Amino acid sequence: MNKPDYLAPQTLSEALETLERQADGIHIIAGGTDLVPRMRSREVEPSLLVDLRLLGLAYIKASERGIRIGTSATHTDILDSDLLAFHCPALGEAAADIAGPPIRNRGTVGGNLANASPAADLAPPLMVYDAVVVLEKKNETRKIPLVDFFTGPGQTALLSGEILTEIRIPAIPPNTTSRFIKLGKRKAMAVAVVSVAARLTLDDAGKISQARIALGSVAPTPIRARQAEAALEGQQPGEDIFAGAGQTASSESSPISDIRASGDYRKKIVEVLTRRALVAAWKEQEG
């Protein structure tokens, strides 16, 4: 592979100024678990790597409005966080399914999202928690819902000179449970054939006041199954209504056929996994 220049800025301002001066040929490197293999295959040939590891972005902390996750936090950091285990268990379930320990120790939340793979494991659970991403540019900060961050396979809403610095999860309502389920070709080290995250919030009468369903590997980007969500809200939870939500979520997906599975198979699996994720979240509330 080519030998790019390397910069490890110690402040965010230094990183942003570098991006503003020299946008062409710059690649942000976080854990490098995706970028380095792509460089080895000459799929990308950056002239400068800007390493974010010294910027102090490897945090997971509570705030007055919810939870803040710095984009340099690793998958292992997610697994080790008691805060996320209590409030956002589906995120930990997704992180546990990513590759093996060496990759989890280096791979970052920001890298997983900015890579914009339709199969990104962390995207569906973060989407069901209504996550917002913080994008910073010199003298400018933008906040957009994660669901709007992905614009196509490998494409995001990041503008030239911007860095994804933080993910913010709003406060989770009471009586909320969530689940993440992933189907791969094997039990470990697998890219998702289909992944589903589901979140249910029940009101005092036991009805579904808020539902969230997000799907991975079944469209050009990770998506929310908004019609299925709408069909659930205001309803009494139960096996039949969850089965119907699975069918609706399947109809909202648009998977392709590739070496991992056919599009028809993926649509059927969306139906099955959505139902299972919803039932699992509901059973936890009952328990």
Side-chain angles (χ1 to χ4, degrees), residues 115-262:
N115 188 43
S117 167
D121 287 314
L122 300 184
L126 284 169
M127 287 166 66
V128 301
Y129 295 128
D130 296 328
V132 170
V133 292
V134 180
L135 312 178
E136 297 207 43
K137 191 176 182 178
K138 187 176 180 181
N139 301 322
E140 184 179 350
T141 300
R142 292 196 297 150
K143 303 178 185 69
I144 63 173
L146 178 60
V147 68
D148 297 327
F149 178 66
F150 305 108
T151 58
Q155 300 176 335
T156 71
L158 277 166
L159 302 176
S160 176
E162 278 187 327
I163 294 176
L164 169 60
T165 58
E166 188 175 79
I167 299 98
R168 296 182 182 176
I169 299 174
I172 306 298
N175 301 324
T176 294
T177 49
S178 56
R179 281 292 177 267
F180 173 84
I181 303 178
K182 171 181 171 179
L183 176 68
K185 296 288 284 184
R186 51 183 184 265
K187 291 186 177 180
M189 302 291 287
V191 177
V193 172
V194 173
S195 62
V196 175
R199 175 169 72 87
L200 292 176
T201 299
L202 304 187
D203 61 20
D204 292 339
K207 291 186 177 181
I208 301 169
S209 60
Q210 198 175 74
R212 295 287 186 271
I213 300 168
L215 313 174
S217 277
V218 295
T221 66
I223 61 170
R224 285 263 301 275
R226 295 187 183 275
Q227 294 177 33
E229 294 171 354
L232 289 171
E233 291 181 352
Q235 302 297 316
Q236 198 74 34
E239 297 273 358
D240 290 343
I241 192 169
F242 293 149
Q247 294 172 354
T248 303
S250 177
S251 71
E252 294 182 72
S253 67
S254 55
I256 62 170
S257 297
D258 59 18
I259 59 173
R260 294 195 298 279
S262 70

